[in-house]
Amino acid sequence: MTLKQIIEDAEQRGIALGHFNISEFVALKAILEGASQLNVPIIIGVSEGEREFIGIKETVALVRAFREEYSVPIFLNADHTHSLEAVEEVAKAGFDAVLFDASKEPLEKNIKLTKEAVLRAKILNPNILVEGEIGYIGASSKILQELPKDISLEEKDLPTAEEVAEFVQKTKVDLLAPAVGNIHGILANIPNPRLNIKKVREMKQAAKIPLVLHGGSGIADDDFRVAIKAGISTIHINTEIRVAWRKGVEMGLKRNRDEVAPYKILSSALEGIKEIVLNRLRIFNGL
Ligand code: G3H
Ligand code: ZN
């Protein structure tokens, strides 16, 4: 099945696909082990910085190699891509999907750029799925000391149904990531904001295409369940993976101060990430 078919299938079954970001091999292996254990499809995401670190061709090759090893469907998304040139680069490289993110721009400019991104990506690969983003939810997958500036969080600042409909009609995106009370990153001292489920429902009706929920780290379990029922069919998690990676590496280093074998030190990171992935995938897939 193609990614498009798998997302449509998830929509019909009232479940969501898990999208997890990676910067290196340990997280990739942990995520795929988790997906394989539960026998569910999975999307691997690499933002511009993440894929620059691994290498674009190397990321594609790694995912291809794992597809031969695992029986679950594995897809690759070029997450948060900010330039049209970068869209073309990943479309040529063989990514299954790309998120063109001009969400910080005013709506008209966001529409103009995203429309161009869709055209350029589809010329190079008619099967690639292009996602657009509307409403700004911050840019960093990290522990936040305070809410990011200029984000759309209050209901009055979230995109309206009319704006969503206009965005989808004019850009022709396949998937839409709207701001619905979600933020990128985890707040250090207080829980992350709750999702605005009424807006999810409203935007799903207006968009009439699959909705993607970004900023999944720190979202309450029940909010995920209700948001999926309201129309979310893919959910992105990154900060929780990064936190588990760091904790695992620190634990591995502390366990034996003389240890120098990376695969022994990194085993705690792999286990920690896998635990997060299993937990999230169970919720997303209603298991
Ligand atoms: O695209 C990546 C996600 O939106 C990750 O957000 O770091 O808050 O989980 P997060
Ligand atoms: Zn995101």
Side-chain angles (χ1 to χ4, degrees), residues 79-80 99 133 137 184 214-215 236:
D79 207 17
H80 295 290
L99 160 58
E133 185 151 340
I137 65 161
H184 279 129
H214 281 252
H236 284 220

Side-chain angles (χ1 to χ4, degrees), residues 19 21 79-80 99 137 140-142 183-186 213-217 236-240:
H19 170 297
N21 288 69
D79 207 17
H80 295 290
L99 160 58
I137 65 161
S140 303
S141 284
K142 64 179 187 185
I183 58 167
H184 279 129
I186 302 177
L213 179 69
H214 281 252
S217 298
H236 284 220
I237 304 272
N238 193 357
T239 311
E240 289 178 357

Side-chain angles (χ1 to χ4, degrees), residues 4 64 74 89 95 124 153 166 203 211 226 260 285:
K4 192 167 192 260
R64 277 197 187 133
I74 305 168
E89 197 178 10
F95 279 63
L124 292 163
L153 192 59
E166 183 191 356
M203 291 191 200
L211 297 187
V226 187
V260 290
N285 289 275

